[in-house]
C-alpha cells in the first residue's frame, strides 16, 4: 500500500510521509534496510519533484539511511537491483543542484565509475554500461569538473556519439542527450579543450559527431516533415556562421545544389531561414566563397524570368 501511495500521491503527501518516517526512524530504519528496500527506491523516484521534501531544502540526516541503502545496492550481484538503484540516483541527481550535491557526496559516483570501467566488455555490460553513462550525464550538468575527476567517462560518451549509427534508438538518444548534458556549461567545454577559442572549440565538438553528420543534416533538411526541416535549417544557420562550418558543408556533396535550389522550400518560415543562411554566407567574406560562387548565391534572390510562350500554353 505504501508503494502505491508513493507512486500515485501528490507531492505534499509524499513530503508528509517523509516527515513521518524521519520522525520514527528508530523503527523505520531497520525495515528500510531490510524487507522494505523497494520503498527507498520509490522515495528516490519521487523526491526530485519541485514540491517534495528534498527540493524544499529539508534533507536531513534522518534520510541518510535511505540514500546509503541505494548506494549500497550498487554493489549488488543482482544486475536488476543495481540498475534500479542507479536509475533512482540518476533521477535524484537531475532534480536540482541541491539534489545533485547530495548524490555527489554520497559515494555513488566512485562506485558507478568503477562499474562504467568494468562493465563495457562484461557479458551483462549492455545493461549496466548505459545506466552508468546516464548517471554521469545527469551529474555533469551540475558538476562539470567530474569530467576531469572521472576521465574515462567522456571518451565513453564520445565513442557512442561518433558511432551513433551503430547504436539502437534508445542508446542513440542517450548518447546525444548525455553529450548535451556535458556541453551544458562553458566550464565543462573548457576542461575538455583547455580553453580553446570559440570557433576551434565548436569545430572540435562538431567533429565528435562523426564524419556522417554533415550528410545526415543535409538529408534531414530535405525530408517532407516541417518540424524536422526547420530544426535542420536552424542547425545550418548556426554552423554556417563559423568558418569551420562553411568549410565542412561546402565540401559536402549535394550541399550547394540544395542551397541554391529555389524550389526546395514552400513554407514561408523555412524559405526565410534558408534565405538568411545564403545572405550570411554572402556577407561572411570567407575566402572559401570566391566571386563566381558569390554571384550564384546572389542569383538565388533574383526571380526567374517568365517565358510568355510557356504561359500562353498554360
Amino acid at each position: 500500500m505504501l508503494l502505491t501511495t508513493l507512486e500515485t500521491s501528490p507531492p505534499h503527501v509524499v513530503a508528509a510521509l517523509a516527515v513521518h518516517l524521519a520522525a520514527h526512524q528508530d523503527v523505520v530504519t531497520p525495515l528500510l534496510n531490510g524487507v522494505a528496500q523497494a520503498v527507498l527506491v520509490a522515495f528516490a523516484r519521487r523526491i526530485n519533484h519541485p514540491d517534495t521534501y528534498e527540493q524544499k531544502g529539508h534533507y536531513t540526516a534522518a534520510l541518510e539511511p535511505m540514500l546509503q541503502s541505494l548506494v549500497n545496492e550498487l554493489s549488488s550481484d543482482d544486475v536488476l537491483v543495481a540498475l534500479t538503484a542507479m536509475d533512482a540516483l540518476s533521477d535524484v541527481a537531475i532534480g536540482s543542484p541541491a539534489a545533485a550535491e547530495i548524490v555527489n557526496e554520497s559515494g555513488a559516483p566512485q562506485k558507478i565509475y568503477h562499474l562504467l570501467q568494468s562493465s563495457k566488455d562484461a557479458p551483462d555490460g549492455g545493461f549496466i554500461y548505459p545506466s552508468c553513462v546516464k548517471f554521469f550525464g545527469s551529474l555533469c550538468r551540475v558538476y562539470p569538473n567530474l569530467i576531469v575527476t572521472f576521465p574515462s567517462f567522456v571518451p565513453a560518451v564520445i565513442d557512442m556519439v561518433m558511432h551513433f549509427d551503430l547504436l539502437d534508438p534508445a542508446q542513440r538518444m542517450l548518447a546525444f542527450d548525455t553529450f548535451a548534458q556535458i556541453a551544458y556549461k562553458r566550464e565543462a567545454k573548457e576542461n575538455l579543450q583547455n580553453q580553446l577559442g570559440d570557433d576551434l572549440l565548436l569545430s572540435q565538438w562538431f567533429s565528435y559527431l562523426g564524419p556522417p553528420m554533415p550528410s545526415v543534416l543535409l538529408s534531414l533538411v530535405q525530408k517532407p516533415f516541417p518540424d524536422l526541416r526547420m530544426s535542420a535549417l536552424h542547425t545550418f544557420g548556426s554552423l554556417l556562421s563559423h568558418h569551420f562550418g562553411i568549410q565542412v558543408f561546402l565540401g559536402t556533396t549535394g550541399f550547394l545544389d540544395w542551397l541554391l535550389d529555389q524550389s526546395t522550400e514552400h513554407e514561408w518560415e523555412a524559405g526565410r531561414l534558408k534565405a538568411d543562411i545564403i545572405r550570411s554566407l554572402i556577407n561572411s567574406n570567407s575566402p572559401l566563397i570566391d566571386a563566381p560562387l558569390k554571384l550564384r548565391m546572389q542569383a538565388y534572390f533574383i526571380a526567374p524570368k517568365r517565358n510568355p510562350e510557356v504561359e500562353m500554353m498554360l
Side-chain angles (χ1 to χ4, degrees):
M1 182 180 296
L2 182 56
L3 282 175
T4 303
T5 302
L6 286 172
E7 292 173 355
T8 60
S9 295
H12 70 275
V13 174
V14 179
L17 285 171
V19 172
H20 178 76
L21 293 178
H24 299 84
Q25 58 178 307
D26 54 334
V27 177
V28 171
T29 299
L31 293 173
L32 294 179
N33 289 333
V35 296
Q37 288 184 351
V39 174
L40 292 175
V41 176
F43 261 116
R45 291 193 181 282
R46 289 302 308 277
I47 208 166
N48 63 339
H49 190 284
D51 294 327
T52 51
Y53 196 66
E54 185 178 302
Q55 289 282 340
K56 293 181 178 179
H58 298 308
Y59 182 86
T60 68
L63 294 178
E64 181 68 16
M66 299 183 187
L67 180 62
Q68 283 306 313
S69 290
L70 283 174
V71 175
N72 292 338
E73 293 294 0
L74 295 172
S75 303
S76 174
D77 293 331
D78 188 324
V79 173
L80 293 179
V81 170
L83 281 174
T84 301
M86 198 182 310
D87 286 343
L89 289 166
S90 296
D91 290 343
V92 172
I94 205 170
S96 72
E101 180 180 2
I102 292 166
V103 174
N104 189 42
E105 295 175 354
S106 68
Q110 290 75 15
K111 285 194 171 187
I112 294 176
Y113 185 63
H114 174 72
L115 289 172
L116 176 75
Q117 293 177 301
S118 62
S119 64
K120 185 173 183 179
D121 299 320
D124 56 1
F127 297 101
I128 294 288
Y129 189 76
S131 290
C132 295
V133 172
K134 176 186 174 183
F135 172 83
F136 278 108
S138 301
L139 210 54
C140 276
R141 184 181 177 92
V142 178
Y143 291 101
N145 280 333
L146 288 179
I147 62 180
V148 177
T149 307
F150 302 106
S152 295
F153 165 60
V154 170
V157 177
I158 291 175
D159 181 68
M160 292 175 71
V161 170
M162 292 190 69
H163 299 94
F164 71 92
D165 52 329
L166 303 178
L167 302 177
D168 62 54
Q171 289 204 29
R172 188 178 302 176
M173 184 179 297
L174 171 66
F176 284 101
D177 182 64
T178 306
F179 189 82
Q181 299 279 27
I182 296 173
Y184 183 69
K185 289 189 175 181
R186 171 74 187 189
E187 183 182 351
K189 303 184 189 78
E190 291 174 346
N191 287 337
L192 287 169
Q193 299 296 338
N194 297 316
Q195 300 185 5
L196 294 174
D198 285 344
D199 204 65
L200 184 55
L201 182 64
L202 289 171
S203 175
Q204 289 279 348
W205 278 78
F206 184 73
S207 71
Y208 291 154
L209 297 177
M213 185 51 66
S215 297
V216 170
L217 283 173
L218 183 58
S219 172
L220 293 177
V221 82
Q222 298 178 74
K223 298 290 185 184
F225 306 109
D227 290 346
L228 200 57
R229 295 170 74 96
M230 291 294 292
S231 297
L233 283 165
H234 280 295
T235 303
F236 276 131
S238 176
L239 293 172
L240 289 168
S241 65
H242 299 276
H243 174 75
F244 82 89
I246 297 174
Q247 184 176 25
V248 166
F249 287 104
L250 288 186
T252 300
T253 302
F255 175 75
L256 276 177
D257 292 336
W258 164 79
L259 183 70
L260 301 178
D261 186 347
Q262 296 174 321
S263 65
T264 61
E265 306 305 331
H266 304 290
E267 300 291 334
W268 181 86
E269 183 65 16
R272 183 188 65 80
L273 283 174
K274 186 177 179 183
D276 287 346
I277 291 171
I278 297 174
R279 289 191 186 95
S280 175
L281 290 172
I282 292 172
N283 297 327
S284 68
N285 295 319
S286 170
L288 299 174
I289 301 176
D290 57 20
L293 178 54
K294 184 173 289 189
L295 286 174
R296 291 175 62 194
M297 290 181 175
Q298 291 169 340
Y300 180 86
F301 299 99
I302 300 174
K305 293 182 179 180
R306 296 181 177 181
N307 188 325
E309 295 182 1
V310 172
E311 289 185 351
M312 289 180 63
M313 292 175 62
L314 295 175

